[in-house]
Every structure is written in C-alpha cells, then in structure tokens.
Amino acid sequence: VKEKGIFDLVEALTLLRPQADFRLAVAGVGADEGKLQTEIRRAGLNGNVTLMGYLQGQDLERAYQDADLFVFPSWREGLPLVLLEAMDYGLPIVATQIRGAADYLCQGQNVLFVPAKAPAARAAAILGLVKDLPLRCHMSAANREKIKEFAPDMVGRQYLAVLQQVVGAQVS
C-alpha cells in the first residue's frame, strides 16, 4: 500500500538507475500490487525489480542472504520485525525515520535515515551505501552486534525488572 513507501522507492530507483546497476527484490503482497507492477513497467525497471510475493522459511532466509543492503521505505510503523531480521543478517539499512527505528537505531551506525516521501534522498542514501564498502561493512558489523539487544533472554530480563519495579512500587 502507498503508506509502505514502495512507490517512493520505485521513484528513487528511477533516479538511481543512471548512476548504478542494481536489483531490487520486493518481498510481500498487498492490495496495490497490480498498480505497483504497472509503475515498475512505466518506469522501465522490469529488469531491475522483482516482486517476490510472500516469503517465509528458506525462501525468506535466501532473500536476506542474497541482499547487499536493506531498504525500508515505510512512512509510519513502530519497530517492524523486518528491520530486526535485516539487522540479524548483517545488512546495512536505509529507512524512513519511523518511531521504533529512530528509538533504537543510530544514524550512520545501523541505518541511513531518509525523510518520508523523499525519493531523491532515498536514492542518494542507497547510492552512498553502494559506493562505500567500508561503511557497508561497518554497518553490517554494527547491526549484527545491535541485534543482540533484542535476544529473548535479554528482553525478558528487562521486562521482568520493569514488572518487579511496578509491583514493588504498588506494594510500598
């Protein structure tokens, strides 16, 4: 759907095409898929963009393993699982500065943030990562380290500590 920013991403890739050779694999399905296919054809990106459909299991794992970077153009979300998955696979990320991502990820360390509805800025961020192997390597390592903060045992201990504080405060 439009709020996922996929049409902005197609526009960004149209700007990027003269400057870089790329392939985009889009995972997921949605109500605007037909409109997206039409936009991809209109932009002349048929050879660059593949709509993969809904992926799970080994197919999803392979898609992450085959990627060089992860682009998340959504205009508004919390902290979506796909960002955590991308981090777990050590992918550098280009994303809109949505709430959850802005709370947990650091600009230039884990992610390159771009404004929503700004295809030129998204294209520039993608191109910057494509051309900067040391930055991609740095972000990859940082994301593999950062994802450890989201491990179930780590998060469970944090939740337990908060619950104990709340219960303790109510008993006092």
Side-chain angles (χ1 to χ4, degrees):
V1 295
K2 187 175 182 178
E3 290 78 18
K4 291 286 187 176
I6 190 67
F7 295 99
D8 292 342
L9 180 55
V10 169
E11 188 176 341
L13 296 179
T14 302
L15 299 170
L16 185 61
R17 187 175 42 183
Q19 303 171 63
D21 186 30
F22 62 86
R23 278 203 53 220
L24 173 69
V26 179
V29 295
D32 288 339
E33 190 170 345
K35 184 178 174 186
L36 178 59
Q37 289 171 335
T38 300
E39 187 61 24
I40 290 167
R41 277 192 305 275
R42 186 201 63 72
L45 293 171
N46 283 357
N48 302 91
V49 179
T50 304
L51 302 181
M52 308 285 289
Y54 178 76
L55 299 178
Q56 60 183 357
Q58 290 180 342
D59 293 332
L60 180 60
E61 185 174 339
R62 196 172 310 110
Y64 280 118
Q65 290 170 342
D66 290 346
D68 293 316
L69 60 98
F70 186 80
V71 180
F72 190 73
S74 188
W75 300 347
R76 57 176 172 227
E77 300 210 26
L79 182 61
L81 180 59
V82 295
L83 285 180
L84 299 176
E85 290 171 346
M87 291 170 62
D88 195 37
Y89 282 92
L91 293 174
I93 297 170
V94 174
T96 308
Q97 197 165 356
I98 53 176
R99 278 194 325 236
D103 291 341
Y104 292 101
L105 305 180
C106 295
Q107 170 71 14
Q109 184 81 9
N110 311 104
V111 64
L112 295 182
F113 284 121
V114 296
K117 306 174 191 175
R122 190 168 314 279
I126 293 168
L127 185 60
L129 276 177
V130 166
K131 290 186 171 187
D132 192 341
L133 179 60
L135 178 59
R136 285 197 322 268
C137 291
H138 171 78
M139 290 175 75
S140 176
N143 283 341
R144 286 186 187 273
E145 188 62 32
K146 183 73 174 173
I147 195 64
K148 293 175 184 176
E149 295 176 19
F150 298 92
D153 59 330
M154 178 78 83
V155 173
R157 282 193 298 272
Q158 291 170 351
Y159 278 129
L160 181 59
V162 169
L163 290 172
Q164 287 172 335
Q165 286 178 349
V166 169
V167 170
Q170 291 177 354
V171 172
S172 299

PDB file of all heavy atoms in Angstrom, residues 62-95:
ATOM      1  N   ARG A  62      16.941 -17.027   2.193  1.00  0.00           N
ATOM      2  CA  ARG A  62      17.757 -16.851   0.986  1.00  0.00           C
ATOM      3  C   ARG A  62      17.712 -15.412   0.494  1.00  0.00           C
ATOM      4  O   ARG A  62      18.727 -14.852   0.066  1.00  0.00           O
ATOM      5  CB  ARG A  62      17.277 -17.804  -0.111  1.00  0.00           C
ATOM      6  CG  ARG A  62      18.263 -17.977  -1.236  1.00  0.00           C
ATOM      7  CD  ARG A  62      17.866 -19.080  -2.219  1.00  0.00           C
ATOM      8  NE  ARG A  62      17.519 -20.338  -1.577  1.00  0.00           N
ATOM      9  CZ  ARG A  62      16.271 -20.849  -1.524  1.00  0.00           C
ATOM     10  NH1 ARG A  62      15.279 -20.227  -2.083  1.00  0.00           N
ATOM     11  NH2 ARG A  62      16.033 -21.985  -0.915  1.00  0.00           N
ATOM     12  N   ALA A  63      16.543 -14.792   0.565  1.00  0.00           N
ATOM     13  CA  ALA A  63      16.422 -13.393   0.124  1.00  0.00           C
ATOM     14  C   ALA A  63      17.313 -12.482   0.961  1.00  0.00           C
ATOM     15  O   ALA A  63      18.004 -11.614   0.418  1.00  0.00           O
ATOM     16  CB  ALA A  63      14.962 -12.938   0.197  1.00  0.00           C
ATOM     17  N   TYR A  64      17.321 -12.687   2.276  1.00  0.00           N
ATOM     18  CA  TYR A  64      18.201 -11.885   3.132  1.00  0.00           C
ATOM     19  C   TYR A  64      19.661 -12.170   2.827  1.00  0.00           C
ATOM     20  O   TYR A  64      20.488 -11.260   2.763  1.00  0.00           O
ATOM     21  CB  TYR A  64      17.921 -12.152   4.616  1.00  0.00           C
ATOM     22  CG  TYR A  64      16.717 -11.419   5.157  1.00  0.00           C
ATOM     23  CD1 TYR A  64      15.621 -12.117   5.664  1.00  0.00           C
ATOM     24  CD2 TYR A  64      16.680 -10.031   5.203  1.00  0.00           C
ATOM     25  CE1 TYR A  64      14.529 -11.455   6.188  1.00  0.00           C
ATOM     26  CE2 TYR A  64      15.584  -9.359   5.725  1.00  0.00           C
ATOM     27  CZ  TYR A  64      14.517 -10.075   6.214  1.00  0.00           C
ATOM     28  OH  TYR A  64      13.434  -9.415   6.726  1.00  0.00           O
ATOM     29  N   GLN A  65      20.010 -13.434   2.650  1.00  0.00           N
ATOM     30  CA  GLN A  65      21.401 -13.812   2.384  1.00  0.00           C
ATOM     31  C   GLN A  65      21.895 -13.248   1.053  1.00  0.00           C
ATOM     32  O   GLN A  65      23.077 -12.927   0.924  1.00  0.00           O
ATOM     33  CB  GLN A  65      21.558 -15.332   2.397  1.00  0.00           C
ATOM     34  CG  GLN A  65      21.421 -15.921   3.779  1.00  0.00           C
ATOM     35  CD  GLN A  65      21.335 -17.441   3.768  1.00  0.00           C
ATOM     36  OE1 GLN A  65      21.048 -18.069   2.756  1.00  0.00           O
ATOM     37  NE2 GLN A  65      21.587 -18.039   4.926  1.00  0.00           N
ATOM     38  N   ASP A  66      21.021 -13.138   0.082  1.00  0.00           N
ATOM     39  CA  ASP A  66      21.402 -12.633  -1.238  1.00  0.00           C
ATOM     40  C   ASP A  66      21.505 -11.113  -1.298  1.00  0.00           C
ATOM     41  O   ASP A  66      22.047 -10.566  -2.257  1.00  0.00           O
ATOM     42  CB  ASP A  66      20.398 -13.101  -2.306  1.00  0.00           C
ATOM     43  CG  ASP A  66      20.485 -14.594  -2.580  1.00  0.00           C
ATOM     44  OD1 ASP A  66      21.476 -15.233  -2.168  1.00  0.00           O
ATOM     45  OD2 ASP A  66      19.546 -15.127  -3.213  1.00  0.00           O
ATOM     46  N   ALA A  67      20.993 -10.431  -0.279  1.00  0.00           N
ATOM     47  CA  ALA A  67      20.939  -8.965  -0.299  1.00  0.00           C
ATOM     48  C   ALA A  67      22.268  -8.339   0.117  1.00  0.00           C
ATOM     49  O   ALA A  67      23.012  -8.904   0.927  1.00  0.00           O
ATOM     50  CB  ALA A  67      19.829  -8.482   0.627  1.00  0.00           C
ATOM     51  N   ASP A  68      22.537  -7.168  -0.443  1.00  0.00           N
ATOM     52  CA  ASP A  68      23.702  -6.379  -0.048  1.00  0.00           C
ATOM     53  C   ASP A  68      23.317  -5.285   0.937  1.00  0.00           C
ATOM     54  O   ASP A  68      24.147  -4.814   1.710  1.00  0.00           O
ATOM     55  CB  ASP A  68      24.352  -5.734  -1.273  1.00  0.00           C
ATOM     56  CG  ASP A  68      24.963  -6.763  -2.199  1.00  0.00           C
ATOM     57  OD1 ASP A  68      25.629  -7.692  -1.701  1.00  0.00           O
ATOM     58  OD2 ASP A  68      24.754  -6.649  -3.415  1.00  0.00           O
ATOM     59  N   LEU A  69      22.073  -4.843   0.860  1.00  0.00           N
ATOM     60  CA  LEU A  69      21.548  -3.856   1.797  1.00  0.00           C
ATOM     61  C   LEU A  69      20.034  -3.988   1.842  1.00  0.00           C
ATOM     62  O   LEU A  69      19.432  -4.671   1.013  1.00  0.00           O
ATOM     63  CB  LEU A  69      21.988  -2.443   1.452  1.00  0.00           C
ATOM     64  CG  LEU A  69      21.604  -1.873   0.086  1.00  0.00           C
ATOM     65  CD1 LEU A  69      20.377  -1.009   0.193  1.00  0.00           C
ATOM     66  CD2 LEU A  69      22.771  -1.037  -0.427  1.00  0.00           C
ATOM     67  N   PHE A  70      19.441  -3.361   2.832  1.00  0.00           N
ATOM     68  CA  PHE A  70      18.005  -3.465   3.055  1.00  0.00           C
ATOM     69  C   PHE A  70      17.408  -2.063   3.033  1.00  0.00           C
ATOM     70  O   PHE A  70      17.901  -1.170   3.732  1.00  0.00           O
ATOM     71  CB  PHE A  70      17.726  -4.126   4.414  1.00  0.00           C
ATOM     72  CG  PHE A  70      16.277  -4.408   4.661  1.00  0.00           C
ATOM     73  CD1 PHE A  70      15.674  -5.518   4.110  1.00  0.00           C
ATOM     74  CD2 PHE A  70      15.518  -3.554   5.440  1.00  0.00           C
ATOM     75  CE1 PHE A  70      14.330  -5.781   4.333  1.00  0.00           C
ATOM     76  CE2 PHE A  70      14.188  -3.802   5.665  1.00  0.00           C
ATOM     77  CZ  PHE A  70      13.583  -4.922   5.116  1.00  0.00           C
ATOM     78  N   VAL A  71      16.369  -1.880   2.233  1.00  0.00           N
ATOM     79  CA  VAL A  71      15.709  -0.582   2.133  1.00  0.00           C
ATOM     80  C   VAL A  71      14.295  -0.731   2.682  1.00  0.00           C
ATOM     81  O   VAL A  71      13.533  -1.590   2.232  1.00  0.00           O
ATOM     82  CB  VAL A  71      15.669  -0.079   0.677  1.00  0.00           C
ATOM     83  CG1 VAL A  71      14.983   1.277   0.611  1.00  0.00           C
ATOM     84  CG2 VAL A  71      17.072  -0.011   0.092  1.00  0.00           C
ATOM     85  N   PHE A  72      13.965   0.110   3.659  1.00  0.00           N
ATOM     86  CA  PHE A  72      12.630   0.078   4.280  1.00  0.00           C
ATOM     87  C   PHE A  72      12.007   1.466   4.139  1.00  0.00           C
ATOM     88  O   PHE A  72      12.316   2.374   4.907  1.00  0.00           O
ATOM     89  CB  PHE A  72      12.748  -0.313   5.758  1.00  0.00           C
ATOM     90  CG  PHE A  72      11.417  -0.586   6.381  1.00  0.00           C
ATOM     91  CD1 PHE A  72      10.710  -1.733   6.074  1.00  0.00           C
ATOM     92  CD2 PHE A  72      10.865   0.306   7.276  1.00  0.00           C
ATOM     93  CE1 PHE A  72       9.476  -1.992   6.643  1.00  0.00           C
ATOM     94  CE2 PHE A  72       9.636   0.067   7.854  1.00  0.00           C
ATOM     95  CZ  PHE A  72       8.935  -1.089   7.535  1.00  0.00           C
ATOM     96  N   PRO A  73      11.132   1.639   3.132  1.00  0.00           N
ATOM     97  CA  PRO A  73      10.621   2.974   2.830  1.00  0.00           C
ATOM     98  C   PRO A  73       9.314   3.372   3.525  1.00  0.00           C
ATOM     99  O   PRO A  73       8.779   4.436   3.250  1.00  0.00           O
ATOM    100  CB  PRO A  73      10.401   2.898   1.316  1.00  0.00           C
ATOM    101  CG  PRO A  73      10.005   1.473   1.088  1.00  0.00           C
ATOM    102  CD  PRO A  73      10.817   0.680   2.087  1.00  0.00           C
ATOM    103  N   SER A  74       8.811   2.543   4.433  1.00  0.00           N
ATOM    104  CA  SER A  74       7.504   2.804   5.051  1.00  0.00           C
ATOM    105  C   SER A  74       7.462   4.162   5.750  1.00  0.00           C
ATOM    106  O   SER A  74       8.441   4.596   6.345  1.00  0.00           O
ATOM    107  CB  SER A  74       7.182   1.705   6.058  1.00  0.00           C
ATOM    108  OG  SER A  74       5.868   1.837   6.534  1.00  0.00           O
ATOM    109  N   TRP A  75       6.321   4.820   5.643  1.00  0.00           N
ATOM    110  CA  TRP A  75       6.160   6.160   6.218  1.00  0.00           C
ATOM    111  C   TRP A  75       5.887   6.132   7.712  1.00  0.00           C
ATOM    112  O   TRP A  75       6.158   7.087   8.421  1.00  0.00           O
ATOM    113  CB  TRP A  75       5.008   6.900   5.549  1.00  0.00           C
ATOM    114  CG  TRP A  75       5.166   7.093   4.079  1.00  0.00           C
ATOM    115  CD1 TRP A  75       6.291   6.911   3.319  1.00  0.00           C
ATOM    116  CD2 TRP A  75       4.153   7.500   3.177  1.00  0.00           C
ATOM    117  NE1 TRP A  75       6.032   7.176   2.006  1.00  0.00           N
ATOM    118  CE2 TRP A  75       4.714   7.548   1.888  1.00  0.00           C
ATOM    119  CE3 TRP A  75       2.813   7.827   3.329  1.00  0.00           C
ATOM    120  CZ2 TRP A  75       3.985   7.913   0.763  1.00  0.00           C
ATOM    121  CZ3 TRP A  75       2.089   8.195   2.209  1.00  0.00           C
ATOM    122  CH2 TRP A  75       2.673   8.243   0.948  1.00  0.00           C
ATOM    123  N   ARG A  76       5.255   5.061   8.192  1.00  0.00           N
ATOM    124  CA  ARG A  76       4.915   5.019   9.624  1.00  0.00           C
ATOM    125  C   ARG A  76       4.713   3.579  10.069  1.00  0.00           C
ATOM    126  O   ARG A  76       3.957   2.813   9.474  1.00  0.00           O
ATOM    127  CB  ARG A  76       3.669   5.840   9.916  1.00  0.00           C
ATOM    128  CG  ARG A  76       2.475   5.389   9.115  1.00  0.00           C
ATOM    129  CD  ARG A  76       1.217   6.142   9.476  1.00  0.00           C
ATOM    130  NE  ARG A  76       0.193   5.757   8.533  1.00  0.00           N
ATOM    131  CZ  ARG A  76      -0.592   6.576   7.916  1.00  0.00           C
ATOM    132  NH1 ARG A  76      -0.530   7.850   8.173  1.00  0.00           N
ATOM    133  NH2 ARG A  76      -1.480   6.133   7.074  1.00  0.00           N
ATOM    134  N   GLU A  77       5.448   3.235  11.083  1.00  0.00           N
ATOM    135  CA  GLU A  77       5.347   1.930  11.728  1.00  0.00           C
ATOM    136  C   GLU A  77       6.034   2.070  13.070  1.00  0.00           C
ATOM    137  O   GLU A  77       6.648   3.090  13.346  1.00  0.00           O
ATOM    138  CB  GLU A  77       6.022   0.840  10.887  1.00  0.00           C
ATOM    139  CG  GLU A  77       5.409   0.707   9.518  1.00  0.00           C
ATOM    140  CD  GLU A  77       5.475  -0.682   8.927  1.00  0.00           C
ATOM    141  OE1 GLU A  77       5.548  -1.659   9.688  1.00  0.00           O
ATOM    142  OE2 GLU A  77       5.426  -0.769   7.698  1.00  0.00           O
ATOM    143  N   GLY A  78       5.997   1.040  13.847  1.00  0.00           N
ATOM    144  CA  GLY A  78       6.712   1.029  15.113  1.00  0.00           C
ATOM    145  C   GLY A  78       8.140   0.592  14.863  1.00  0.00           C
ATOM    146  O   GLY A  78       8.916   1.283  14.218  1.00  0.00           O
ATOM    147  N   LEU A  79       8.487  -0.578  15.352  1.00  0.00           N
ATOM    148  CA  LEU A  79       9.770  -1.196  15.055  1.00  0.00           C
ATOM    149  C   LEU A  79       9.453  -2.525  14.379  1.00  0.00           C
ATOM    150  O   LEU A  79       9.264  -3.541  15.048  1.00  0.00           O
ATOM    151  CB  LEU A  79      10.606  -1.414  16.323  1.00  0.00           C
ATOM    152  CG  LEU A  79      11.995  -2.014  16.095  1.00  0.00           C
ATOM    153  CD1 LEU A  79      12.851  -1.099  15.219  1.00  0.00           C
ATOM    154  CD2 LEU A  79      12.679  -2.275  17.412  1.00  0.00           C
ATOM    155  N   PRO A  80       9.366  -2.522  13.058  1.00  0.00           N
ATOM    156  CA  PRO A  80       8.920  -3.726  12.354  1.00  0.00           C
ATOM    157  C   PRO A  80       9.939  -4.857  12.416  1.00  0.00           C
ATOM    158  O   PRO A  80      11.160  -4.619  12.418  1.00  0.00           O
ATOM    159  CB  PRO A  80       8.712  -3.252  10.919  1.00  0.00           C
ATOM    160  CG  PRO A  80       9.461  -1.991  10.803  1.00  0.00           C
ATOM    161  CD  PRO A  80       9.594  -1.408  12.167  1.00  0.00           C
ATOM    162  N   LEU A  81       9.442  -6.067  12.461  1.00  0.00           N
ATOM    163  CA  LEU A  81      10.264  -7.265  12.524  1.00  0.00           C
ATOM    164  C   LEU A  81      11.256  -7.321  11.366  1.00  0.00           C
ATOM    165  O   LEU A  81      12.392  -7.774  11.542  1.00  0.00           O
ATOM    166  CB  LEU A  81       9.369  -8.515  12.526  1.00  0.00           C
ATOM    167  CG  LEU A  81      10.077  -9.856  12.592  1.00  0.00           C
ATOM    168  CD1 LEU A  81      10.931  -9.963  13.847  1.00  0.00           C
ATOM    169  CD2 LEU A  81       9.067 -10.988  12.527  1.00  0.00           C
ATOM    170  N   VAL A  82      10.869  -6.847  10.180  1.00  0.00           N
ATOM    171  CA  VAL A  82      11.783  -6.932   9.037  1.00  0.00           C
ATOM    172  C   VAL A  82      13.072  -6.152   9.279  1.00  0.00           C
ATOM    173  O   VAL A  82      14.130  -6.556   8.793  1.00  0.00           O
ATOM    174  CB  VAL A  82      11.124  -6.482   7.712  1.00  0.00           C
ATOM    175  CG1 VAL A  82       9.996  -7.425   7.323  1.00  0.00           C
ATOM    176  CG2 VAL A  82      10.648  -5.054   7.772  1.00  0.00           C
ATOM    177  N   LEU A  83      13.028  -5.067  10.014  1.00  0.00           N
ATOM    178  CA  LEU A  83      14.261  -4.339  10.332  1.00  0.00           C
ATOM    179  C   LEU A  83      15.164  -5.180  11.235  1.00  0.00           C
ATOM    180  O   LEU A  83      16.381  -5.223  11.042  1.00  0.00           O
ATOM    181  CB  LEU A  83      13.964  -2.999  10.993  1.00  0.00           C
ATOM    182  CG  LEU A  83      13.450  -1.895  10.080  1.00  0.00           C
ATOM    183  CD1 LEU A  83      13.200  -0.618  10.877  1.00  0.00           C
ATOM    184  CD2 LEU A  83      14.386  -1.622   8.931  1.00  0.00           C
ATOM    185  N   LEU A  84      14.565  -5.843  12.197  1.00  0.00           N
ATOM    186  CA  LEU A  84      15.346  -6.703  13.088  1.00  0.00           C
ATOM    187  C   LEU A  84      15.919  -7.889  12.323  1.00  0.00           C
ATOM    188  O   LEU A  84      17.077  -8.278  12.541  1.00  0.00           O
ATOM    189  CB  LEU A  84      14.484  -7.176  14.260  1.00  0.00           C
ATOM    190  CG  LEU A  84      13.918  -6.066  15.154  1.00  0.00           C
ATOM    191  CD1 LEU A  84      13.013  -6.642  16.222  1.00  0.00           C
ATOM    192  CD2 LEU A  84      15.020  -5.234  15.758  1.00  0.00           C
ATOM    193  N   GLU A  85      15.126  -8.453  11.415  1.00  0.00           N
ATOM    194  CA  GLU A  85      15.628  -9.557  10.592  1.00  0.00           C
ATOM    195  C   GLU A  85      16.807  -9.097   9.731  1.00  0.00           C
ATOM    196  O   GLU A  85      17.822  -9.797   9.631  1.00  0.00           O
ATOM    197  CB  GLU A  85      14.511 -10.111   9.701  1.00  0.00           C
ATOM    198  CG  GLU A  85      13.441 -10.861  10.459  1.00  0.00           C
ATOM    199  CD  GLU A  85      12.230 -11.221   9.608  1.00  0.00           C
ATOM    200  OE1 GLU A  85      12.074 -10.668   8.492  1.00  0.00           O
ATOM    201  OE2 GLU A  85      11.439 -12.061  10.061  1.00  0.00           O
ATOM    202  N   ALA A  86      16.670  -7.940   9.116  1.00  0.00           N
ATOM    203  CA  ALA A  86      17.754  -7.411   8.281  1.00  0.00           C
ATOM    204  C   ALA A  86      19.018  -7.197   9.118  1.00  0.00           C
ATOM    205  O   ALA A  86      20.132  -7.508   8.674  1.00  0.00           O
ATOM    206  CB  ALA A  86      17.320  -6.105   7.613  1.00  0.00           C
ATOM    207  N   MET A  87      18.854  -6.689  10.325  1.00  0.00           N
ATOM    208  CA  MET A  87      19.999  -6.498  11.209  1.00  0.00           C
ATOM    209  C   MET A  87      20.648  -7.837  11.544  1.00  0.00           C
ATOM    210  O   MET A  87      21.868  -7.955  11.566  1.00  0.00           O
ATOM    211  CB  MET A  87      19.558  -5.790  12.491  1.00  0.00           C
ATOM    212  CG  MET A  87      19.155  -4.341  12.275  1.00  0.00           C
ATOM    213  SD  MET A  87      18.362  -3.613  13.722  1.00  0.00           S
ATOM    214  CE  MET A  87      19.658  -3.704  14.936  1.00  0.00           C
ATOM    215  N   ASP A  88      19.822  -8.848  11.808  1.00  0.00           N
ATOM    216  CA  ASP A  88      20.327 -10.170  12.155  1.00  0.00           C
ATOM    217  C   ASP A  88      21.161 -10.767  11.020  1.00  0.00           C
ATOM    218  O   ASP A  88      22.124 -11.494  11.270  1.00  0.00           O
ATOM    219  CB  ASP A  88      19.159 -11.095  12.502  1.00  0.00           C
ATOM    220  CG  ASP A  88      19.612 -12.356  13.205  1.00  0.00           C
ATOM    221  OD1 ASP A  88      20.561 -12.297  14.016  1.00  0.00           O
ATOM    222  OD2 ASP A  88      19.008 -13.414  12.938  1.00  0.00           O
ATOM    223  N   TYR A  89      20.825 -10.436   9.785  1.00  0.00           N
ATOM    224  CA  TYR A  89      21.600 -10.900   8.633  1.00  0.00           C
ATOM    225  C   TYR A  89      22.764  -9.956   8.308  1.00  0.00           C
ATOM    226  O   TYR A  89      23.459 -10.147   7.320  1.00  0.00           O
ATOM    227  CB  TYR A  89      20.696 -11.086   7.409  1.00  0.00           C
ATOM    228  CG  TYR A  89      19.905 -12.372   7.495  1.00  0.00           C
ATOM    229  CD1 TYR A  89      18.641 -12.391   8.054  1.00  0.00           C
ATOM    230  CD2 TYR A  89      20.455 -13.570   7.044  1.00  0.00           C
ATOM    231  CE1 TYR A  89      17.928 -13.576   8.157  1.00  0.00           C
ATOM    232  CE2 TYR A  89      19.746 -14.756   7.136  1.00  0.00           C
ATOM    233  CZ  TYR A  89      18.479 -14.754   7.699  1.00  0.00           C
ATOM    234  OH  TYR A  89      17.777 -15.932   7.807  1.00  0.00           O
ATOM    235  N   GLY A  90      22.962  -8.949   9.132  1.00  0.00           N
ATOM    236  CA  GLY A  90      24.094  -8.050   8.957  1.00  0.00           C
ATOM    237  C   GLY A  90      23.954  -7.107   7.778  1.00  0.00           C
ATOM    238  O   GLY A  90      24.953  -6.673   7.213  1.00  0.00           O
ATOM    239  N   LEU A  91      22.729  -6.756   7.448  1.00  0.00           N
ATOM    240  CA  LEU A  91      22.522  -5.865   6.310  1.00  0.00           C
ATOM    241  C   LEU A  91      22.554  -4.404   6.744  1.00  0.00           C
ATOM    242  O   LEU A  91      21.932  -4.031   7.742  1.00  0.00           O
ATOM    243  CB  LEU A  91      21.180  -6.162   5.639  1.00  0.00           C
ATOM    244  CG  LEU A  91      21.086  -7.525   4.955  1.00  0.00           C
ATOM    245  CD1 LEU A  91      19.670  -7.769   4.467  1.00  0.00           C
ATOM    246  CD2 LEU A  91      22.082  -7.621   3.817  1.00  0.00           C
ATOM    247  N   PRO A  92      23.268  -3.561   5.995  1.00  0.00           N
ATOM    248  CA  PRO A  92      23.148  -2.118   6.195  1.00  0.00           C
ATOM    249  C   PRO A  92      21.722  -1.718   5.797  1.00  0.00           C
ATOM    250  O   PRO A  92      21.140  -2.332   4.896  1.00  0.00           O
ATOM    251  CB  PRO A  92      24.171  -1.513   5.238  1.00  0.00           C
ATOM    252  CG  PRO A  92      24.915  -2.637   4.630  1.00  0.00           C
ATOM    253  CD  PRO A  92      24.201  -3.897   4.928  1.00  0.00           C
ATOM    254  N   ILE A  93      21.188  -0.707   6.435  1.00  0.00           N
ATOM    255  CA  ILE A  93      19.768  -0.353   6.249  1.00  0.00           C
ATOM    256  C   ILE A  93      19.631   1.099   5.823  1.00  0.00           C
ATOM    257  O   ILE A  93      20.295   1.985   6.363  1.00  0.00           O
ATOM    258  CB  ILE A  93      18.994  -0.591   7.565  1.00  0.00           C
ATOM    259  CG1 ILE A  93      19.035  -2.072   7.937  1.00  0.00           C
ATOM    260  CG2 ILE A  93      17.561  -0.082   7.460  1.00  0.00           C
ATOM    261  CD1 ILE A  93      18.521  -2.372   9.335  1.00  0.00           C
ATOM    262  N   VAL A  94      18.733   1.317   4.861  1.00  0.00           N
ATOM    263  CA  VAL A  94      18.249   2.655   4.512  1.00  0.00           C
ATOM    264  C   VAL A  94      16.779   2.646   4.884  1.00  0.00           C
ATOM    265  O   VAL A  94      16.026   1.791   4.410  1.00  0.00           O
ATOM    266  CB  VAL A  94      18.419   2.962   3.006  1.00  0.00           C
ATOM    267  CG1 VAL A  94      17.771   4.299   2.658  1.00  0.00           C
ATOM    268  CG2 VAL A  94      19.888   2.957   2.612  1.00  0.00           C
ATOM    269  N   ALA A  95      16.353   3.563   5.739  1.00  0.00           N
ATOM    270  CA  ALA A  95      14.969   3.546   6.217  1.00  0.00           C
ATOM    271  C   ALA A  95      14.454   4.956   6.476  1.00  0.00           C
ATOM    272  O   ALA A  95      15.234   5.877   6.729  1.00  0.00           O
ATOM    273  CB  ALA A  95      14.854   2.734   7.510  1.00  0.00           C
TER     274      ALA A  95
END
